[in-house]
Amino acid sequence: MTAAAPEPKANMGKPVPRYDAVAKVTGRATYGSDMPLDNPAYAFLVTSAIAKGRINSFDLEDAKRVRGVIDIVTHENAPKLKESKLFSNGGYAGTTIQPLKSADIAHDGEIIAVVIAESYEAAREAANRVKVNYSAVTPSASFDSQGTTKAAAKGQNAQFKEDPKVGDFAKAFDEAEVQLTASYETPTQHHNPMELFSTSCAWMGDTLVIYEPSQYVYGLKNGVAEQLGIDADKVRVVNPYVGGGFGSRGSMTPRTAIIAGIAKRLNRPIKLVPTRDQGFTIATYRAETRHEIKLGASRDGKLVALRHEGAEVSSRADPYCVGGTKTTTRLYACPNVDSLVSIVRADRNTPGFMRSPPEVPYLFALESAMDELAVKLNMDPVELRRINDTTNEPIGGKPYTSRSLMACFDEAAKAFGWAQRSAAPKSMSDGDWLIGYGCAATCYPTQMAPAAARVRLQRDGRTRVEIAGHEIGTGAYTILAQTAAERLGVPLEKVAVFIGDSDLPPGPVAGGSNSTASTCSAVMMVCDQVRQRLFKALMPNESLADKAKETVGMGQTPSTEAARSDRPLDLEKAFDALGAGVVEEYGEWKPEGAPLDSFKAMHSGHARLVGGAAMKDKIAYAFGAEFVEVRVNRFTHEIRAPRLVGAFAAGRIMNPRTARSQLMGGLIWGMSSALLEATEIDERTARYVNDNFADYLVPVNADVPGVEVILLSEQDDHINPAGAKGLGELANVGTNAAICNAIYHATGQRIRKLPVRLENIEV
Amino acid sequence: MRPFSYQRATDPDMAVQALSAAAAASKPLTQASAQPLAGGTTLIDLMKLDVMRPTAIIDINPLAQGWSAIEPGSENLRLGALAKMSDVAEHGEILRNYPVIVNSLKLAASAQLRNMATLGGNVMQRTRCSYFRDVSYENCNKRNPGSGCAAMDGVNRMHAVLGISDQCIATYPGDFAQALIALDATVEVTGRSGTRSMPFAELHKAPGNSPEIETTLQPGELISAFLIPGRWPRSVYLKARDRQSYEFALSSAAVALDVQDGTIRDARVALGGVATVPWRAREAEAQLKGQKFDDGLAQRAADAAFADARGRQHNGFKIALGKRVVMRALQQAVMMEI
Ligand SMILES: Cc1cc2nc3c(=O)[nH]c(=O)nc-3n(C[C@H](O)[C@H](O)[C@H](O)COP(=O)(O)OP(=O)(O)OC[C@H]3O[C@@H](n4cnc5c(N)ncnc54)[C@H](O)[C@@H]3O)c2cc1C
Ligand code: SF4
């Protein structure tokens, strides 16, 4: 075992290498724009240089003269498309701003023309030569701009149903022995997945194939069909690999139906590869947020009052919000809680999911405030969390299905060397560098969604698993193969997994970290169906369902005597008895508490996530604790984070290797979010300025020399058959606060606005 | 990017001919229809962004045989313009006698870029001003003379506080040039009438009223070499930046000292990340020369270096930061064991 492949503890699978590792490191993995097309034309987008106003006219003379140009599509001649509603409103779209519909412009970088040419180069050159005459109107860029409107999220966003409250906050806060009020801010951020927002569309007669990095092939298929006004069965979305998603590919963007429509008209496949900077405006992003936290506590550290007010920016058109108060009001024991989320509308593109959408900004605020409170109480911040740890969430009193928060704190603290910390700020240093230690809790809701799978087992043990899941870099292929191999008792090498194709049985959106729990539960169920068929053939008179259940799982010891005598299932005999060479089963799985329309919604590409705080009589979250060492240079004020240590518990760990990678990536992402990442907006023009990889900073290797991930053993039988909690979005939540808390310890300076840059330090 | 012709220059004359033929008196050299290509790490980027639109590329890499030598002599160091950044940064003699050069190169860009990029191309690299590099912004005097400056009241955290004008506040982004200007380097230029030399300090032009004119090179002229007089073992390049590697300077200082018996006999200070051109801080040097070093002196030198600095909305911090960087670089240079 190595650091990359941690020794499995109890309730962990094997750290097998990635199914797709060789394909990826040898460049053989095929991404959307790698898919071969027959005689494609190439598209290049022209995007608006103003954020609000109208297009008066285009001058296309120069552009049309470029050799190889086939067509230039603008609002004047664009294919007519039907509208799609916002995903949160029962639609598929991540934005209802539909480009190329009229001369109006609603945000910076809106698609205003699509150049189609015989080559990418010609399309790009012609796009450069398109001249646009605008009438610009002064836009509202963000929170402090004139002309924005602010209103409560409740009532305008169908998915934000309630501002959680309990008890009498005002009174309890007034009477609290210790009070804290503090305001926090997080910036605009963009996902910047490595793979660009490409789309290829090819029609064969009246059937459309779309190659596009998507985190939801069923959503995209149905959404595009709706916009084109065709039957969803006529659309197929294929993407065996997705070069990073982080939420940016969860809901449909307008580009896909536009390209599909143009390809239809042209009667030729079209390939679009937008630029990095276009990705900032043709997809979604994490909007900037503001928070006010009020904490009231007794002298001994018990929370008596908590209020979290959050405000988020969205577009004029859409009431998107993340509303993380559902988590922050429930994290700690506290009898009096109040909260409010508002949305501020500005002239921006519609924001959307970005890795741990609600938890990142909202926990940054709460976990910073908890650290401030610990300072006020003169208490170790770990102990403050311990005092307020709880088995039941305070709003509805529901029990956590499992909660290893303090175990994570203790393990991580030990590995980090928290005991060596001298508590006073500015008390640790090394040469030019002030040293600070900080920590924070992290958590993420455990979510599940309906999923279907097809499993085929051959006589020789070869197995084929089909499910329209998504490989967004997390290891989906690997753990699905492991799950089937284990459940059917066949060698891992014999399992072939097919995902990323909407012709496969419907899987859920790869969002909200529900994929592992949902797809593995579905595959387990269908593997059991296969085993039941075989048992039935062998022992037609027994009560087989039970036996199959008891005997499944090669790694598990059969629980009953009867089951034990059945093992191992003799495949040869079973197939002989069955008189067939292949057993194939299809099944649809849905999580406990799934809404009635779940399966219907699953087929029509509507995500129906359940779990987290929304369950009826329980609440399910994964937890972790993160410790960081920050160094602040006395002279340059440069801030570095040489050590990030996190301990996490997330139910069954399907594969410690891929889990560690997710969590390590999360810690690095969190550090990046705290110290580097921010999309700068030009206040006068509401335009993104640093929309490229040179100016939008993410960490390089030298920034993250020490990242340690500790996986805790945790068993949770109340969540889903796989026993797994999502962990892809767990690790990047706490890091923001942990870093700011460490900066406070290093410098004595409390910074409440992200990202923290050297100019914010005054030592 | 727009179509262009590509030509390999097999001898300097050919390159000079092709480039001078393409230069038009009415246009700044950066907008001439033919441009020399060295490593391409600046030029190709800017062509992809449609900022530079040459119709002819003159590849000068075939001249490497004559133009890439690294020649440490007893009197001076001669560096060919086509020497790669990485080769110079790893050269034993330079490591010993010119730490400021080594670190200005090593702390720049990434290993991959340093393997491609040449010294000549490096000093000629163009500003990273986001508004300059995005042609959808009309107002950029440097790219589009007379159109205004979007950065002046826009997002200008990375912009300059020294050498600015009402027309342009774009930072000169390079690191190596600070070492050259500090060490009184000479630049050797090859043009139509042969080779001429001038102080490196005269190569770049502050924006003034014509930010589109960035250097004093004449049509057809190419940089062929740099000459650095003397040896500077007591020299430092200190660079403050947002991340640990692969990032331009928010503020940097190239410092070279000649200290004897505790007295500073000669001092060189140049500033990066804060000025519109490679910036020699002669006022700081004047404070230092002939003095015994202490922290108070370092502070006075740093104050002098930034006496004329002017910040805008987001870059004002660079003045205080720049001073601290200068002070620390001076302290580090003094503390060096030689
Ligand atoms: C992501 C990124 C990060 C970077 N970070 C840094 C950094 O931290 N610090 C830093 O200093 N630099 C940095 N750079 C810039 C890099 O160092 C320069 O791009 C490189 O040095 C240019 O050299 P080149 O040979 O590739 O030049 P080219 O791109 O070939 O040429 C640059 C310009 O100079 C002209 N030219 C080339 N050679 C000559 C010559 N001999 N005579 C006259 N004109 C000539 C070209 O026509 C062109 O206009 C970075 C670049 C990138 C892309
Ligand atoms: S600072 Fe200079 S380069 Fe930048 S926008 Fe202004 S004029 Fe253009």
Side-chain angles (χ1 to χ4, degrees):
Chain A
M1 295 292 139
T2 61
E7 184 82 52
K9 300 176 184 163
N11 201 26
M12 294 189 192
K14 290 201 195 76
V16 300
R18 273 168 189 271
Y19 184 90
D20 43 345
V22 174
K24 279 191 170 162
V25 298
T26 54
R28 269 189 285 120
T30 40
Y31 293 84
S33 55
D34 297 332
M35 294 296 191
L37 298 172
D38 184 16
N39 187 29
Y42 294 83
F44 199 94
L45 303 177
V46 180
T47 53
S48 67
I50 63 167
K52 190 178 189 176
R54 278 180 67 80
I55 298 165
N56 295 329
S57 62
F58 286 99
D59 174 356
L60 304 178
E61 282 308 303
D62 208 14
K64 281 185 172 157
R65 265 202 297 271
V66 173
R67 186 144 39 108
V69 170
I70 299 167
D71 195 5
I72 300 177
V73 180
T74 68
H75 67 273
E76 286 159 0
N77 59 347
K80 294 273 168 285
L81 298 170
K82 299 204 166 53
E83 281 173 28
S84 181
K85 284 188 282 197
L86 204 64
F87 67 90
S88 56
N89 250 346
Y92 301 98
T95 177
T96 60
I97 302 167
Q98 183 62 44
L100 302 184
K101 220 176 75 177
S102 74
D104 295 333
I105 288 168
H107 63 82
D108 170 34
E110 185 175 330
I111 299 170
I112 55 171
V114 186
V115 180
I116 309 292
E118 295 291 344
S119 70
Y120 174 78
E121 289 73 16
R124 176 172 62 178
E125 188 198 349
N128 286 341
R129 291 178 188 272
V130 169
K131 292 181 205 79
V132 192
N133 182 295
Y134 300 103
S135 291
V137 176
T138 304
S140 312
S142 184
F143 283 123
D144 296 324
S145 313
Q146 300 227 309
T148 57
T149 56
K150 182 175 179 179
K154 188 181 159 184
Q156 52 175 325
N157 180 317
Q159 286 186 345
F160 188 87
K161 297 201 177 73
E162 209 55 62
D163 286 304
K165 299 182 186 349
V166 71
D168 184 347
F169 165 80
K171 181 160 177 289
F173 183 75
D174 274 350
E175 291 169 0
E177 289 171 349
V178 181
Q179 295 169 339
L180 176 92
T181 302
S183 299
Y184 303 90
E185 274 182 59
T186 64
T188 315
Q189 294 179 335
H190 278 80
H191 319 74
N192 277 311
M194 282 305 287
E195 186 180 6
L196 295 164
F197 289 94
S198 67
T199 296
S200 295
C201 287
W203 289 86
M204 272 176 292
D206 61 353
T207 353
L208 169 67
V209 180
I210 302 169
Y211 301 110
E212 174 178 315
S214 164
Q215 291 173 254
Y216 196 17
V217 290
Y218 264 75
L220 187 60
K221 157 193 158 119
N222 282 280
V224 170
E226 181 182 80
Q227 281 207 276
L228 295 173
I230 61 174
D231 193 312
D233 285 347
K234 300 282 183 196
V235 182
R236 178 178 178 194
V237 178
V238 180
N239 61 5
Y241 294 102
V242 178
F246 313 118
S248 65
R249 321 201 201 264
S251 35
M252 179 174 65
T253 71
R255 72 183 193 276
T256 316
I258 292 173
I259 295 299
I262 300 174
K264 174 97 190 170
R265 191 158 75 189
L266 195 65
N267 196 19
R268 203 170 151 185
I270 295 186
K271 178 161 162 173
L272 166 74
V273 182
T275 61
R276 173 67 53 193
D277 65 321
Q278 289 172 344
F280 277 70
T281 58
I282 64 166
T284 63
Y285 61 98
R286 193 197 295 285
E288 56 273 34
T289 67
R290 287 183 174 175
H291 307 261
E292 188 195 69
I293 301 266
K294 284 180 181 288
L295 297 177
S298 62
R299 280 257 159 259
D300 59 6
K302 270 213 153 324
L303 287 174
V304 293
L306 180 153
R307 183 169 197 280
H308 192 161
E309 180 168 346
E312 311 177 21
V313 165
S314 189
S315 63
R316 298 273 184 206
D318 299 312
Y320 181 82
C321 77
V322 298
T325 46
K326 65 176 176 283
T327 296
T328 53
T329 55
R330 292 179 168 93
L331 184 54
Y332 295 114
C334 181
N336 302 291
V337 178
D338 189 28
S339 68
L340 177 66
V341 172
S342 308
I343 303 177
V344 172
R345 305 291 192 97
D347 296 302
R348 298 274 296 281
N349 49 328
T350 303
F353 313 109
M354 181 160 155
R355 200 170 186 176
S356 344
E359 281 71 25
V360 161
Y362 282 75
L363 246 79
F364 164 62
L366 179 64
E367 285 299 288
S368 295
M370 286 296 278
D371 200 72
E372 296 202 45
L373 181 63
V375 171
K376 272 203 166 187
L377 292 163
N378 199 14
M379 187 177 271
D380 182 333
V382 177
E383 294 318 302
L384 181 63
R385 267 84 173 191
R386 199 184 312 280
I387 290 168
N388 293 292
D389 193 23
T390 181
T391 54
N392 293 58
E393 54 87 19
I395 304 297
K398 296 183 287 191
Y400 279 96
T401 55
S402 60
R403 175 167 159 129
S404 307
L405 177 65
M406 290 322 296
C408 289
F409 263 109
D410 292 338
E411 286 272 333
K414 199 164 78 198
F416 180 81
W418 182 250
Q420 274 92 60
R421 180 186 82 127
S422 81
K426 281 176 104 161
S427 62
M428 293 168 67
S429 64
D430 176 12
D432 283 5
W433 297 89
L434 301 172
I435 297 178
Y437 287 180
C439 66
T442 196
C443 69
Y444 194 76
T446 299
Q447 304 187 99
M448 284 79 54
R454 190 180 298 116
V455 175
R456 185 167 80 186
L457 176 68
Q458 288 183 206
R459 196 187 171 98
D460 61 5
R462 275 190 290 160
T463 304
R464 181 183 171 98
V465 177
E466 298 181 351
I467 180 165
H470 308 83
E471 178 54 88
I472 55 174
T474 50
Y477 279 110
T478 316
I479 56 163
L480 285 170
Q482 280 180 281
T483 301
E486 202 168 293
R487 206 70 178 178
L488 294 172
V490 299
L492 185 62
E493 317 76 74
K494 292 204 169 179
V495 183
V497 178
F498 293 82
I499 59 180
D501 183 341
S502 67
D503 271 5
L504 300 173
V509 59
S513 292
N514 88 90
S515 277
T516 297
S518 311
T519 59
C520 290
S521 292
V523 167
M524 282 166 66
M525 186 192 83
V526 180
C527 286
D528 286 354
Q529 289 171 210
V530 169
R531 291 183 63 92
Q532 283 170 28
R533 283 265 302 276
L534 293 169
F535 271 109
K536 215 171 251 166
L538 274 179
M539 297 171 284
N541 301 324
E542 299 239 10
S543 158
L544 302 161
D546 292 347
K547 269 206 181 116
K549 236 185 234 154
E550 284 162 5
T551 55
V552 291
M554 292 298 280
Q556 284 159 243
T557 316
S559 49
T560 65
E561 200 50 49
R564 224 168 280 143
S565 64
D566 282 345
R567 289 174 61 90
L569 173 66
D570 188 326
L571 278 191
E572 297 276 336
K573 271 194 197 148
F575 274 105
D576 280 346
L578 196 65
V582 169
V583 179
E584 183 168 296
E585 283 288 331
Y586 168 90
E588 298 184 344
W589 175 84
K590 69 174 184 205
E592 184 190 325
L596 277 179
D597 72 343
S598 280
F599 285 138
K600 186 163 159 265
M602 173 178 85
H603 285 278
S604 61
H606 292 105
R608 288 282 185 275
L609 266 59
V610 299
M615 288 190 286
K616 223 174 104 225
D617 45 16
K618 55 190 172 187
I619 173 168
Y621 271 72
F623 291 93
E626 300 182 1
F627 288 73
V628 303
E629 174 183 326
V630 156
R631 293 183 165 224
V632 180
N633 190 290
R634 292 176 205 276
F635 301 95
T636 62
H637 297 181
E638 287 166 299
I639 310 160
R640 303 287 184 249
R643 281 200 305 139
L644 311 171
V645 176
F648 308 94
R652 177 164 174 82
I653 302 298
M654 311 304 282
N655 178 331
R657 182 197 296 262
T658 53
R660 171 183 175 270
S661 288
Q662 283 298 297
L663 295 163
M664 181 167 68
L667 285 167
I668 295 169
W669 176 296
M671 170 267 163
S672 177
S673 161
L675 296 178
L676 299 171
E677 287 184 49
T679 308
E680 313 281 0
I681 303 165
D682 188 311
E683 177 62 35
R684 303 160 302 175
T685 57
R687 302 194 60 196
Y688 300 133
V689 177
N690 59 335
D691 51 358
N692 58 75
F693 256 159
D695 295 334
Y696 184 95
L697 298 187
V698 294
V700 295
N701 280 320
D703 290 305
V704 282
V707 187
E708 189 184 348
V709 170
I710 302 161
L711 296 165
L712 261 67
S713 182
E714 185 183 69
Q715 174 119 17
D716 191 328
D717 299 327
H718 311 288
I719 40 179
N720 52 63
K725 298 177 175 178
L727 52 72
E729 296 169 89
L730 176 58
N732 62 313
V733 172
T735 334
N736 294 285
I739 294 230
C740 286
N741 299 343
I743 291 172
Y744 171 77
H745 182 231
T747 65
Q749 198 188 335
R750 182 63 66 178
I751 298 179
R752 302 185 180 89
K753 185 177 175 187
L754 299 179
V756 189
R757 296 206 162 129
L758 59 75
E759 61 264 38
N760 307 123
I761 303 281
E762 304 151 9
V763 272
Chain B
M1 196 182 266
R2 299 172 186 229
F4 57 89
S5 69
Y6 170 85
Q7 193 184 349
R8 285 168 72 82
T10 43
D11 63 68
D13 279 352
M14 187 178 157
V16 166
Q17 287 298 332
L19 291 169
S20 33
S26 59
K27 278 190 176 170
L29 269 189
T30 49
Q31 289 179 16
S33 61
Q35 295 288 334
L37 172 78
T41 61
T42 287
L43 180 62
I44 304 295
D45 263 18
L46 290 174
M47 287 169 65
K48 285 194 197 159
L49 293 170
D50 209 30
V51 172
M52 289 181 79
R53 302 170 181 181
T55 52
I57 292 295
I58 315 299
D59 186 349
I60 59 172
N61 285 293
L63 310 181
Q65 266 224 316
W67 284 17
S68 64
I70 302 170
E71 298 166 297
S74 50
E75 297 290 301
N76 56 34
L77 166 67
R78 189 173 192 280
L79 299 171
L82 287 174
K84 300 284 184 189
M85 289 171 76
S86 50
D87 290 336
V88 178
E90 282 154 20
H91 194 281
E93 195 99 1
I94 303 177
L95 282 167
R96 267 191 302 284
N97 292 322
Y98 304 93
V100 65
I101 292 183
V102 167
N103 283 324
S104 72
L105 292 168
K106 258 198 192 154
L107 299 179
S110 66
Q112 293 89 334
L113 285 159
R114 295 192 295 270
N115 287 338
M116 281 301 284
T118 63
L119 297 187
N122 183 287
V123 302
M124 296 294 287
Q125 68 178 281
R126 307 192 64 197
T127 186
R128 310 298 298 191
C129 171
S130 310
Y131 299 100
F132 168 75
R133 290 170 62 89
D134 183 342
V135 294
S136 72
Y137 287 94
E138 238 157 63
N139 310 336
C140 172
N141 288 325
K142 191 186 269 303
R143 176 165 41 76
N144 196 0
S147 61
C149 170
M152 202 69 72
D153 296 311
V155 176
N156 49 33
R157 175 173 183 264
M158 298 302 287
H159 285 71
V161 295
L162 287 166
I164 55 179
S165 74
D166 297 344
Q167 307 295 314
C168 179
I169 56 170
T171 302
Y172 172 78
D175 292 300
F176 174 56
Q178 325 309 336
L180 290 177
I181 201 168
L183 302 187
D184 266 342
T186 302
V187 55
E188 185 189 288
V189 173
T190 300
R192 266 177 298 188
S193 40
T195 297
R196 68 176 175 111
S197 288
M198 64 172 157
F200 180 75
E202 289 172 15
L203 177 64
H204 290 86
K205 287 190 72 175
N209 283 326
S210 41
E212 73 280 11
I213 299 170
E214 295 176 354
T215 70
T216 55
L217 289 185
Q218 296 301 308
E221 282 188 331
L222 285 167
I223 299 173
S224 40
F226 303 95
L227 273 102
I228 295 112
R231 286 181 180 169
W232 294 90
R234 187 179 292 285
S235 63
V236 165
Y237 190 74
L238 182 64
K239 179 173 177 181
R241 46 187 168 168
D242 284 319
R243 60 184 172 193
Q244 181 65 17
S245 172
Y246 198 21
E247 177 55 351
F248 291 93
L250 288 167
S251 167
S252 70
V255 163
L257 298 178
D258 177 1
V259 183
Q260 279 180 20
D261 306 325
T263 301
I264 300 172
R265 297 251 308 248
D266 196 357
R268 306 293 179 77
V269 181
L271 310 177
V274 292
T276 53
V277 285
W279 193 262
R280 180 87 176 257
R282 292 195 187 270
E283 306 76 6
E285 295 172 4
Q287 293 285 330
L288 296 163
K289 275 184 209 162
Q291 306 292 315
K292 294 234 180 275
F293 187 83
D294 62 28
D295 289 351
L297 180 69
Q299 178 77 61
R300 287 195 294 284
D303 287 344
F306 283 88
D308 295 332
R310 295 286 170 272
R312 312 267 326 165
Q313 191 182 354
H314 306 113
N315 66 351
F317 73 93
K318 284 189 173 181
I319 299 173
L321 169 65
K323 290 181 188 178
R324 282 184 267 107
V325 167
V326 168
M327 283 177 64
R328 190 59 187 153
L330 287 168
Q331 289 168 344
Q332 286 181 350
V334 168
M335 287 185 303
M336 277 177 88
E337 295 200 6
I338 295 168

